[in-house]
Amino acid sequence: MAIGFAALLDDIAALARMAAANADDVAAASMKVSAKAAGVVVDDAAVAPQYVRGVNPKRELPIIWKITKGSLLNKAIILVFALLLSQFAPWVLTPLLMLGGTYLCFEGAHKIWELVTGDKAAKDSEPSVVKGEEAEKKVVSGAVRTDFILSAEIMVISLNEVADQPLVDRALILVVVAIVITLAVYGVVGLLVKMDDVGLALTKRDSGAAKTFGAWLVRAMPVVMTIISYVGMFAMLWVGGHIMLTGLDELGLHAPYALVHHLAEGVEGIAGVGGVLAWLVDTLCALVFGLAWGAVVAGVWALTPWGKKAH
């Protein structure tokens, strides 16, 4: 009996070690996958604060929490379909990823165009009309719809990185990615939209240092939000361009990605900074390709009835 009990304990210990190792693998893979989706995540964080622009400060965090719950639901729905596709039709992943990459390139190119023409500044100067419960519901539903597109891209990018993993590990990794990214994005958004309130509160303190820091916060937050929007814009083009380059390569059109590799290899041998320079060249090429791809798509879209109507 004692021997049998000891053997049982050994088996339990072995299972525990296996589970711990598997948990470590899932955690490591989740962080790696989250990094791959960084471009979309940054853009998500850059876009989200606009939904509470002009809203009563007391309603900012409740609205962001509603959007957060909607984002988690979006990712849960997408997760189920993505896992089914990866299990029964894995060949669909590359075209889906390229479709999402095209969307990212289109959005990035469109934002560049708004920046050049001043259209975005005109839109941003419009007064907020968000008043009342019904208007709040419209803001939340619109934000959740936009989030669905970004969430789909995040999940497909993530799935593509772990497509060779067993189904259970794949599911666990994607669940971790969905939760971590959603809470991180909207947690940061919550902090960003309340920073000006924190600054205003500090300016009312008796301490001179607190007043100075509070005034600095109030002045700095618009600059911070602008920088985040620019980073998000270029991140979309970089990620979208890289997705298109690798997708075309996988589909048999090797020349564009081969050229990027050739340019990166040309600087990789430079002592001390070769690795950094190779990454910069690869990133810049992906960004330029993404901008070109997005500009072509935007031009074609503008000629369609839907594009003319939107314009």
Side-chain angles (χ1 to χ4, degrees):
M1 179 68 70
I3 294 175
F5 184 67
L8 177 61
L9 288 178
D10 285 343
D11 291 341
I12 292 173
L15 287 172
R17 286 193 297 271
M18 186 183 300
N22 190 58
D24 288 342
D25 291 342
V26 168
S30 300
M31 293 304 102
K32 178 183 176 183
V33 167
S34 299
K36 289 288 185 179
V40 192
V41 171
V42 172
D43 185 67
D44 208 353
V47 169
Q50 69 175 306
Y51 299 120
V52 292
R53 184 170 65 91
V55 174
N56 185 325
K58 293 181 179 179
R59 296 302 305 159
E60 288 175 342
L61 292 182
I63 288 175
I64 290 171
W65 174 238
K66 289 179 180 179
I67 298 172
T68 302
K69 291 189 289 185
S71 179
L72 286 171
L73 180 60
N74 283 342
K75 290 181 177 68
I77 294 170
I78 295 163
L79 174 62
V80 173
F81 284 101
L83 286 173
L84 288 173
L85 285 176
S86 67
Q87 190 68 20
F88 300 107
W91 56 270
V92 177
L93 291 181
T94 295
L96 275 180
L97 201 59
M98 292 181 70
L99 184 63
T102 297
Y103 169 77
L104 291 177
C105 294
F106 169 78
E107 279 292 300
H110 190 261
K111 289 182 180 183
I112 292 284
W113 176 253
E114 286 181 337
L115 188 64
V116 172
T117 60
D119 286 350
K120 182 174 176 56
K123 290 176 184 176
D124 287 346
S125 65
E126 295 173 357
S128 175
V129 294
V130 180
K131 297 177 181 178
E133 187 176 344
E134 288 303 315
E136 185 174 303
K137 288 180 180 178
K138 289 182 180 178
V139 169
V140 172
S141 62
V144 172
R145 284 195 299 270
T146 301
D147 176 90
F148 187 87
I149 298 173
L150 295 173
S151 291
E153 187 61 17
I154 287 170
M155 298 310 291
V156 173
I157 290 174
S158 303
L159 180 61
N160 190 62
E161 292 298 314
V162 294
D164 58 339
Q165 298 289 328
L167 179 60
V168 174
D169 286 358
R170 213 180 311 154
L172 288 173
I173 290 167
L174 293 181
V175 167
V176 171
V177 167
I179 294 173
V180 168
I181 284 181
T182 303
L183 296 182
V185 166
Y186 290 104
V188 169
V189 169
L191 287 174
L192 289 174
V193 300
K194 299 308 291 184
M195 277 297 102
D196 53 352
D197 294 338
V198 172
L200 286 173
L202 288 174
T203 59
K204 298 175 182 178
R205 295 285 184 90
D206 295 331
S207 169
K211 287 183 178 180
T212 302
F213 182 66
W216 178 83
L217 268 182
V218 172
R219 291 194 303 269
M221 286 317 297
V223 177
V224 171
M225 297 305 297
T226 300
I227 291 173
I228 290 175
S229 68
Y230 288 151
V231 171
M233 177 175 62
F234 288 114
M236 288 180 83
L237 291 171
W238 159 47
V239 175
H242 190 267
I243 289 171
M244 299 312 299
L245 284 168
T246 55
L248 290 172
D249 187 64
E250 289 179 16
L251 293 178
L253 186 58
H254 305 298
Y257 204 33
L259 176 61
V260 173
H261 270 300
H262 177 72
L263 294 174
E265 288 174 355
V267 298
E268 195 171 14
I270 299 177
V273 295
V276 175
L277 288 178
W279 181 85
L280 287 174
V281 168
D282 187 274
T283 300
L284 181 61
C285 288
L287 193 153
V288 172
F289 188 84
L291 178 59
W293 187 275
V296 171
V297 173
V300 172
W301 172 254
L303 298 175
T304 66
W306 305 280
K308 291 178 181 178
K309 185 177 178 180
H311 180 70

